[in-house]
Amino acid sequence: MTLADLLAALNAGETIPGGSPGHAVMHETSQEALRIAGELNAGYHPPARVRQLLAELTGRPVDETVTLFPPFTADFGKNIRLGARVFINSGCRFQDQGGISIGDDCLIGHNAVIATLQHGMQPSKRADLIPSPVILGRNVWLGANVTVLPGVTIGDDSVVGAGSVVTKDIPAGVIAVGSPARVIRALPT
């Protein structure tokens, strides 16, 4: 199985059985992501070099308006899509096998975690990996220490308060807080 085959399976929502050829490719790709993250986090780099390393990690161009403050880790890297004018603050961790799409003008606060994989619940299937994408619309703001769980979509212009755990979709134009995150009010238009 190639990386392209694995990405196609992940993006189709197919379960990747533990010990399978897809699982092996995922681990090989993760080793590359760890290497790149190690370089990214090893010391100061000017913004252009940070974007260059981020492009190497994701395997796609990164807009010159994207800002990332290390440290940053992604345990796969190849299934992250970043819009323009995205800001990712320090300490963020992306588990991106299932796909992470971040729209234009998003702000990601310190230590945010975005997870896109679940494991099989049945003990004999626990090593199986079940991908579900996370989608952040345009102009989403995740506060510090927010965790976004697999399969969640957050609508355009919404804000998720610091420390929240997002377990379900959040509509556009609202503020959501808590664990689990709940909408507390609409944003002014």
Side-chain angles (χ1 to χ4, degrees):
M1 175 175 270
T2 67
L3 176 58
D5 295 333
L6 175 61
L7 283 167
L10 289 166
N11 291 333
E14 295 177 20
T15 296
I16 308 301
S20 68
H23 198 251
V25 172
M26 190 180 298
H27 277 278
E28 290 169 18
T29 306
S30 293
Q31 292 305 304
E32 179 184 2
L34 290 169
R35 179 190 60 76
I36 296 165
E39 183 176 348
L40 176 65
N41 299 326
Y44 172 77
H45 301 286
R49 178 65 178 143
V50 169
R51 283 190 296 277
Q52 184 180 47
L53 287 165
L54 192 53
E56 184 180 347
L57 177 70
T58 62
R60 55 181 47 95
V62 172
D63 193 271
E64 66 180 17
T65 62
V66 169
T67 302
L68 168 70
F69 285 180
F72 173 80
T73 58
D75 62 359
F76 186 68
K78 300 302 186 219
N79 216 358
I80 299 171
R81 288 169 185 77
L82 299 172
R85 299 171 304 281
V86 169
F87 175 75
I88 302 170
N89 218 324
S90 62
C92 291
R93 301 172 82 71
F94 290 4
Q95 179 199 47
D96 64 291
Q97 288 90 335
I100 296 173
S101 179
I102 299 176
D104 294 344
D105 302 301
C106 285
L107 304 174
I108 312 296
H110 288 94
N111 302 315
V113 173
I114 300 177
T116 66
L117 284 180
Q118 298 181 41
H119 290 278
M121 293 302 286
Q122 189 177 355
S124 64
K125 304 273 187 185
R126 195 64 43 87
D128 292 357
L129 301 169
I130 305 163
S132 295
V134 168
I135 301 167
L136 304 185
R138 281 191 77 261
N139 204 33
V140 169
W141 175 18
L142 301 182
N145 297 301
V146 165
T147 298
V148 181
L149 296 183
V152 167
T153 296
I154 300 175
D156 293 351
D157 300 316
S158 285
V159 176
V160 179
S164 296
V165 178
V166 186
T167 62
K168 295 180 181 174
D169 290 354
I170 302 293
V174 299
I175 297 173
V177 299
S179 179
R182 293 185 186 352
V183 174
I184 58 168
R185 69 180 166 96
L187 288 165
T189 56

